[in-house]
Amino acid sequence: MLLPALSLPALFASRVFLPLFAVALAVRFGPDVPLLGTLGLLAGLPVDAAPGWLTSDLSIAVLGTLSALELVAHKSGGAREILNELDPYVKPVSAALGVAGLVSAAGGWPAAEGVAAASLPAQAGLGFTGLLVLAVAAGTFLLAVARRAVLSDASELDADDDTGLLGLFSWGEDLWSVFGVFLLVLFPVVVAALVVIASCVVLLMYARSRRREARSRVACDACGDDVPRAALRCPHCGVERPDAERVGLLGGPKMQRVGDRRDHAASLRAVHRCGVCAASLRERHPEQDCRLCGRPAFAGTADVAGLDAHVKARLPWVLAACAGLSAVPVVGLIPGIILYRLALIAPYRRYLPRGRTLLVRWGVRLGYLLLIFVQLWPGAGTLAVPAMALLAWSSYRRSFLSLAAESVPAASGPASSAALPA
Ligand SMILES: [Zn+2]
Ligand SMILES: [Zn+2]
């Protein structure tokens, strides 16, 4: 009982209601299921001893409804942000209820666990349960905070989920928080070991992301304020920074000095950042002002052309890499798609309002359908991913350029002689 109870934080750190719903179901129905009832913890549970506050029809109906709402809410960006704010405070409460439910379902501490419940005075048993509940709540709080930091880091890097990994992770967490509970009840030791490993991974990622954040900013030479390492100018005092550093495909710092400053501005815009001070841009539109330095995201058509040229220059190596990857059957498809979505499409898509990308998205999907059939032909597989990349690139590019032509002023500043390419 102790081991699985101490594993609960890893389940409740992911979701609030789903794991509690699973605990209620396992405790209520588990012992009645012929084979399952003899396994793991369930073997120790007396039938019909389930606590009513957790397992009555009403409680299960309410928990089921809340779990369904939670499932839906985690799939929408806005609701997820609100949930992330509340999470670390609500999850420990839910975890405490979960462990209290498990303990009271077992009718206290089963003698087989080494803690001889019968020989303990009732007071000591209660005190021990209280300590356990507190420990589980505290563990859940710590893990939930670490999880939130790691995830917000990831969604800062990949705000649009261009890699698709955040969506996949969200589904993984849903499955884990439901089936993890059942597995925990059935195979306590195996799951406890897995939980220790997973918790260590989350805490390590947390430590890493804190280090990365500290590394991504420096003090301005002139005014001493915090400046992103990639900034060409300080957003606070406006002084030029000769030692700006390059950024990667996800906007992370690369620890390399910038060579071509105009191309660096384009590479910042490609990761949805201000081309001058490197602050993240917030809106999905080419016409917006940086919230830190106040400059427009695209001061003129030269900036639009600069971004377009920067992305176009990636075409040869991205297409070559996609061809190489798609030569590997099945396995190569996913990294190929992630690569071209990040390198070729995200730079344009980040500036397109969602409604505007609807038609493009469906057009591209239809194209994919055709290409999947092409990939079935022997030998044509190598060309399928580069063809998909080209198709998606040209669709999103056209969409972005036409929106930019409507909304970005033709000329501004000294470097605006370059015309918008067709
Ligand atoms: Zn400064
Ligand atoms: Zn700025």
Side-chain angles (χ1 to χ4, degrees):
M1 178 60 84
L2 193 59
L3 198 62
L6 288 178
S7 314
L8 283 179
L11 295 162
F12 281 89
S14 288
R15 295 286 184 268
V16 178
F17 298 114
L18 280 171
L20 194 57
F21 182 49
V23 167
L25 287 180
V27 170
R28 162 97 183 255
F29 300 109
D32 297 333
V33 180
L35 258 176
L36 297 185
T38 59
L39 276 170
L41 279 185
L42 291 180
L45 291 190
V47 181
D48 294 337
W53 57 267
L54 182 64
T55 58
S56 68
D57 291 341
L58 181 66
S59 305
I60 286 194
V62 170
L63 280 176
T65 313
L66 290 172
S67 303
L69 287 176
E70 181 173 42
L71 204 70
V72 175
H74 270 275
K75 302 292 170 269
S76 102
R80 195 167 49 224
E81 262 171 44
I82 298 170
L83 286 176
N84 279 344
E85 287 307 307
L86 300 171
D87 264 2
Y89 310 102
V90 189
K91 283 170 176 167
V93 177
S94 180
L97 291 176
V99 72
L102 270 183
V103 170
S104 79
W109 294 99
E113 288 289 324
V115 184
S119 69
L120 278 174
Q123 286 282 295
L126 265 183
F128 188 67
T129 306
L131 271 182
L132 185 69
V133 168
L134 273 183
V136 168
T140 306
F141 178 74
L142 285 178
L143 271 183
V145 168
R147 169 193 171 275
R148 179 174 71 174
V150 170
L151 272 186
S152 83
D153 231 55
S155 53
E156 175 103 339
L157 284 177
D158 189 9
D160 254 3
D161 198 14
D162 291 305
T163 57
L165 293 178
L166 282 173
L168 206 65
F169 183 76
S170 174
W171 282 109
E173 275 200 306
D174 290 332
L175 287 175
W176 159 245
S177 55
V178 174
F179 292 104
V181 169
F182 285 99
L183 289 175
L184 187 63
V185 169
L186 294 175
F187 312 106
V189 179
V190 179
V191 177
L194 280 179
V195 158
V196 170
I197 296 171
S199 305
C200 287
V201 169
V202 170
L203 292 175
L204 274 178
M205 284 172 72
Y206 176 62
R208 226 192 79 151
S209 78
R210 288 307 79 150
R211 272 207 310 279
R212 204 187 63 88
E213 186 176 289
R215 250 190 359 223
S216 71
R217 306 183 77 81
V218 279
C220 167
D221 288 338
C223 70
D225 267 333
D226 256 7
V227 188
R229 281 181 183 270
L232 288 171
R233 280 177 187 279
C234 169
H236 310 287
C237 67
V239 75
E240 195 138 350
R241 296 187 63 251
D243 50 356
E245 285 176 19
R246 297 176 56 195
V247 288
L249 282 184
L250 280 168
K254 276 175 79 175
M255 305 288 152
Q256 287 168 350
R257 283 276 295 270
V258 164
D260 179 345
R261 292 174 76 82
R262 283 196 60 188
D263 189 57
H264 179 61
S267 74
L268 285 173
R269 292 190 180 101
V271 288
H272 210 222
R273 283 164 182 261
C274 172
V276 179
C277 77
S280 302
L281 298 170
R282 286 292 148 92
E283 285 161 57
R284 304 177 62 102
H285 205 281
E287 192 184 14
Q288 64 177 307
D289 292 333
C290 169
R291 76 205 144 82
L292 212 56
C293 73
R295 291 183 177 82
F298 294 92
T301 45
D303 290 344
V304 175
L307 170 66
D308 189 44
H310 183 80
V311 178
K312 206 188 253 174
R314 291 174 177 169
L315 267 179
W317 70 263
V318 173
L319 291 181
C322 282
L325 283 167
S326 67
V328 186
V330 189
V331 186
L333 206 65
I334 308 278
I337 291 174
I338 290 179
L339 174 66
Y340 82 71
R341 276 168 52 115
L342 275 181
L344 300 181
I345 294 171
Y348 302 116
R349 204 176 60 175
R350 288 170 178 141
Y351 294 100
L352 294 172
R354 292 195 195 280
R356 194 144 179 137
T357 56
L358 201 71
L359 264 178
V360 184
R361 277 211 305 270
W362 278 104
V364 169
R365 272 176 203 160
L366 270 178
Y368 284 173
L369 212 62
L370 280 174
L371 285 166
I372 285 171
F373 286 112
V374 172
Q375 219 210 353
L376 293 179
W377 295 345
T382 320
L383 293 175
V385 178
M388 275 153 82
L390 263 181
L391 173 81
W393 170 73
S394 67
S395 317
Y396 279 99
R397 172 175 183 261
R398 203 172 315 126
S399 197
F400 167 76
L401 290 180
S402 82
L403 182 63
E406 290 166 22
S407 52
V408 174
S412 165
S416 55
S417 51
L420 193 64

